[in-house]
Amino acid sequence: MANNQNNNATRVHIPCRISFANIWEPKSINGSDEKYSVSLIISKEDKQTLRAIHEAVQTAKENGKGKWNGKIPANLKLPLRDGDIDRPDDEAYANAYFINANNKEKPGIVDRRVQPITDPSEVYSGCYCIVSVNFYPFNANGNRGVAASLGNIQKVSDGEPLSGRVSAMAEFEALEDEEELMKEELPDYLR
């Protein structure tokens, strides 16, 4: 389902599950500039999307030759990472690759019908989306590689939240009527 929109060879629409969704307010990580960011979890079974990402990264590498003295360095940092290797203790990343994308500009966020979503509770870590990403070469502070710029987000469907937080309905039980509670005897120290 991934495609290169507008014939831009480094832009890909990536169907994924999102995690670490800092998409409503920018955040600073380790004192860096504030940015919007999200981790895109991509199934290893989605060969079409993985191929489109590979092709876009290859194009970004070719585009980077000007930044890298006319050639592609051997040890580039690349955006596609293996969840089974880099996040082995996180079940959400099992049998998946992931990409961390960020941008100083806020992403546009729409629903399946391309209507704007403004309620932060509607798009969250764990839901399924299509995210536009632009891959670009970088050469900064001795680090060279290809990074992922966060574009826009289209929510496709809900998913199990990845916040680690339990819902209130799962955590609590229904209470008895107050009259029933009053009939129960209290221990001596509470009277």
Side-chain angles (χ1 to χ4, degrees):
M1 175 151 170
N3 65 39
N4 291 18
Q5 191 70 1
N6 300 328
N7 295 324
N8 183 339
T10 59
R11 180 174 302 280
V12 181
H13 288 175
I14 302 175
C16 60
R17 187 175 191 198
I18 63 172
S19 181
F20 298 100
N22 298 310
I23 56 177
W24 298 101
E25 295 291 331
K27 292 194 176 160
S28 173
I29 298 173
N30 298 326
S32 65
D33 292 341
E34 288 190 342
K35 293 182 181 181
Y36 298 90
S37 61
V38 66
S39 182
L40 315 178
I41 304 171
I42 307 147
S43 170
K44 288 183 177 179
E45 305 299 317
D46 187 351
K47 303 300 184 195
Q48 182 179 355
T49 297
L50 295 172
R51 186 175 306 107
I53 292 167
H54 171 76
E55 290 170 4
V57 169
Q58 290 304 112
T59 300
K61 286 163 75 173
E62 286 295 323
N63 294 346
K65 285 182 180 178
K67 294 179 179 253
W68 306 323
N69 301 321
K71 59 183 178 180
I72 298 173
N75 295 328
L76 286 179
K77 292 185 177 189
L78 298 175
L80 188 64
R81 296 169 53 193
D82 189 328
D84 293 319
I85 294 170
D86 294 332
R87 299 193 64 112
D89 297 329
D90 193 332
E91 176 180 309
Y93 288 77
N95 196 32
Y97 289 103
F98 69 98
I99 294 171
N100 294 326
N102 62 66
N103 199 324
K104 289 182 182 180
E105 294 182 33
K106 185 174 184 170
I109 303 172
V110 297
D111 64 16
R112 293 176 66 92
R113 293 181 179 85
V114 195
Q115 297 302 306
I117 296 176
T118 57
D119 181 356
S121 69
E122 288 294 313
V123 183
Y124 52 88
S125 293
C127 73
Y128 293 87
C129 299
I130 298 171
V131 179
S132 67
V133 173
N134 186 53
F135 296 97
Y136 64 93
F138 68 88
N139 185 4
N141 303 322
N143 294 314
R144 296 180 291 189
V146 175
S149 176
L150 173 62
N152 295 305
I153 300 170
Q154 181 178 33
K155 181 181 178 183
V156 175
S157 65
D158 286 315
E160 184 70 30
L162 297 176
S163 66
R165 185 175 178 162
V166 177
S167 73
M169 292 179 287
E171 185 171 3
F172 297 111
E173 295 178 12
L175 296 175
E176 299 175 24
D177 289 336
E178 199 169 319
E179 279 185 30
E180 293 297 318
L181 289 174
M182 298 300 275
K183 292 179 184 176
E184 292 181 20
E185 285 196 35
L186 292 174
D188 289 337
Y189 73 95
L190 291 176
R191 288 187 192 172

